[in-house]
Amino acid sequence: MAKALDGVRILDFTHVQSGPTCTQLLAWLGADVIKVERAGAGDITREQLRDIPGVDSLYFTMLNHNKRSITLDAKNPKGKQVLERLVKHCDVLVENFAPGALDRMGFTWERIQQLNPRMIVASVKGFGPGPYQDCKVYENVAQCAGGSASTTGFDDGPPLVTGAQIGDSGTGLHLALGIVAALYQRMSTGRGQKVLAAMQDGVLNLCRVKLRDQQRLARTGVMQEYPQYPHGQFGSAVPRAGNASGGGQPGWIIKCKGWEKDPNAYLYFIAQAPVWKEICKVIGKEEWITDPDYATPDARLPRLLQVFATVEAWTMTKTKFEAMAELNQHDIPCGPILSMEELAAEPSLRATGTVVEVDHPQRGKYLTVGNPIKMSDSLTEVMRSPLLGEHTQEVLTELGLSDSEIRTLRAEKVI
């Protein structure tokens, strides 16, 4: 079966997480991704957080599936010549270098356009144009600068970063969408263009509901769905909301049976207004159905923590799965707190290709996250990450270099 991006060639100059997330998704969708790495070293994540000495780390393997790897010294004049041929050969160049690095290599936007007017140059940066545009950014810095950390955690504690990689992987996903849109626009214009995804911008996009709340807070001085209401104090900025849902449906994480020993024996419970009667019946508080202090959503707002504590007294008598099963019978929205151990073992995720077992020639079998995007006419086969320089000969041959030319480049340590 043909893939959605069959025929699209990606020149991948990315490393670590944000860029590789983008190019791996494009590879899963069928693009030919040629990952350019330094000879003898490669992407720094090949050696970061290794669990097997001398073998590519899970950090690298889980971000570089379905790609081809070549090694190239782009500072060497002959290496630059090879790179020029690659620019002419490919449709998209993706990079997450420090600001200005591509220019210093001699591959300015103007030079790339001379070589290939149809080339799309896609970049991940920490910040967009502005006072911080030259600053180096990592995942947690992006979370802090993009508004996530200031609104995560509990009101009586410090800001918190989240385990979800919304700075790196989130920005990579944004960039992939931009690339696909640029490819589509090129069909009508015939021209390439620059695509930029800044990590601060990506995090803020994912935190848009908090920007919504900032404007509501400035207008009204309070936010009734936050746990600080009505007894706490609101300042001028959106506070941390604990486990509140962030939407119009009040929710909270509550304990289940076994919580004393299992740090994930919890359930997320939503006190949704349309099923309030069913909630009261399940937890044995039928009098709340008509009690004016609880009968309406507005009446419940100042008493939400009491409501959740009462529900918790019920859930603590059941495992999270037992509670979920019973609540779902009444269409009461809830969800178990699933650990990575539980997710890794979940059969339904294996069946859909969301969790995939891959065989690596050096590592052996390992689990990875598969393509989160499912398409009926572009099925994803998750293939192992490449060994360093594994496809150098193959790609250079496709560029028209002879075996003797390739041997010379290898002898001169250009590749």
Side-chain angles (χ1 to χ4, degrees):
M1 181 181 290
K3 301 294 180 66
L5 295 181
D6 273 351
V8 175
R9 297 191 186 99
I10 309 292
L11 183 55
D12 184 2
F13 265 105
T14 70
H15 56 286
V16 191
Q17 185 178 167
S18 58
T21 296
C22 168
T23 53
Q24 176 171 260
L25 181 57
L26 298 174
W28 279 339
L29 295 175
D32 176 17
V33 176
I34 302 170
K35 185 177 179 72
V36 181
E37 302 186 72
R38 291 181 299 134
D43 189 322
I44 192 173
T45 57
R46 286 186 182 269
E47 61 183 43
Q48 284 186 336
L49 305 176
R50 272 181 172 152
D51 56 321
I52 303 175
V55 174
D56 289 338
S57 70
L58 286 167
Y59 196 0
F60 177 84
T61 59
M62 293 176 68
L63 285 163
N64 291 281
H65 295 107
N66 295 51
K67 302 179 185 180
R68 297 195 288 171
S69 169
I70 70 169
T71 55
L72 183 67
D73 180 0
K75 295 180 180 179
N76 184 294
K78 290 185 177 179
K80 286 186 177 181
Q81 292 176 6
V82 173
L83 182 52
E84 288 182 353
R85 295 175 80 149
L86 283 166
V87 169
K88 294 176 181 178
H89 180 70
C90 294
D91 299 284
V92 185
L93 186 155
V94 189
E95 59 92 13
N96 60 341
F97 292 129
L102 203 59
D103 291 353
R104 291 190 293 273
M105 290 169 58
F107 288 88
T108 62
W109 168 246
E110 292 74 19
R111 177 58 179 151
I112 291 171
Q113 286 287 284
Q114 289 175 354
L115 294 168
N116 183 354
R118 292 173 57 82
M119 171 65 78
I120 294 161
V121 177
S123 304
V124 171
K125 299 302 175 198
F127 295 95
Y132 309 118
Q133 63 186 21
D134 294 327
C135 296
K136 184 179 288 187
V137 175
Y138 290 93
E139 170 66 44
N140 290 349
V141 174
Q143 288 193 27
C144 293
S148 175
S150 70
T151 55
T152 302
F154 289 87
D155 197 41
D156 58 355
L160 290 177
V161 295
T162 174
Q165 303 291 280
I166 60 175
D168 276 325
S169 287
T171 306
L173 296 174
H174 283 98
L175 186 64
L177 175 59
I179 290 169
V180 172
L183 286 167
Y184 184 81
Q185 187 173 20
R186 193 180 70 176
M187 293 170 61
S188 58
T189 66
R191 300 192 309 272
Q193 62 180 293
K194 292 187 284 186
V195 180
L196 170 67
M199 293 172 70
Q200 182 187 41
D201 299 1
V203 171
L204 181 55
N205 183 44
L206 297 175
C207 293
R208 67 178 66 186
V209 297
K210 300 301 182 180
L211 184 59
R212 171 204 67 190
D213 290 348
Q214 180 62 48
Q215 296 170 86
R216 292 172 55 231
L217 178 63
R219 185 177 300 276
T220 66
V222 297
M223 289 180 290
Q224 294 182 341
E225 78 282 6
Y226 273 58
Q228 290 84 350
Y229 177 83
H231 306 297
Q233 296 294 317
F234 286 92
S236 61
V238 172
R240 292 181 273 287
N243 290 314
S245 69
Q249 305 296 338
W252 204 252
I253 291 178
I254 53 181
K255 298 172 183 173
C256 293
K257 186 177 182 179
W259 68 272
E260 300 92 339
K261 295 182 178 179
D262 181 356
N264 296 299
Y266 289 82
L267 185 82
Y268 197 90
F269 177 88
I270 297 177
Q272 188 182 35
V275 291
W276 176 245
K277 291 181 180 180
E278 286 73 15
I279 291 172
C280 295
K281 293 174 183 177
V282 167
I283 65 175
K285 297 292 288 185
E286 292 190 45
E287 65 272 21
W288 279 0
I289 297 174
T290 55
D291 187 331
D293 286 343
Y294 296 93
T296 66
D298 286 344
R300 289 192 293 274
L301 276 174
R303 301 171 177 84
L304 281 177
L305 293 183
Q306 182 183 345
V307 169
F308 293 132
T310 305
V311 175
E312 186 174 67
W314 177 81
T315 59
M316 286 172 64
T317 67
K318 303 175 184 297
T319 69
K320 60 189 177 185
F321 298 111
E322 291 169 344
M324 183 181 177
E326 189 165 343
L327 293 170
N328 278 334
Q329 290 178 11
H330 303 276
D331 290 328
I332 300 170
C334 62
I337 307 304
L338 296 178
S339 68
M340 283 297 148
E341 182 179 27
E342 290 169 314
L343 290 167
E346 173 53 50
S348 65
L349 297 179
R350 302 286 187 96
T352 60
T354 300
V355 175
V356 181
E357 186 176 76
V358 178
D359 200 3
H360 189 276
Q362 297 175 340
R363 165 173 291 282
K365 292 183 178 180
Y366 65 96
L367 291 183
T368 189
V369 176
N371 191 351
I373 300 170
K374 310 298 193 289
M375 299 175 66
S376 62
D377 282 1
S378 183
L379 302 181
T380 299
E381 178 187 1
V382 177
M383 296 181 288
R384 68 167 176 85
S385 60
L387 301 178
L388 180 60
E390 181 177 352
H391 303 94
T392 302
Q393 179 87 25
E394 178 179 286
V395 171
L396 295 187
T397 299
E398 291 172 5
L399 293 177
L401 276 71
S402 66
D403 288 346
S404 61
E405 288 175 311
I406 295 172
R407 283 195 298 270
T408 299
L409 291 174
R410 186 165 283 120
E412 295 179 0
K413 298 183 178 181
V414 176
I415 58 174

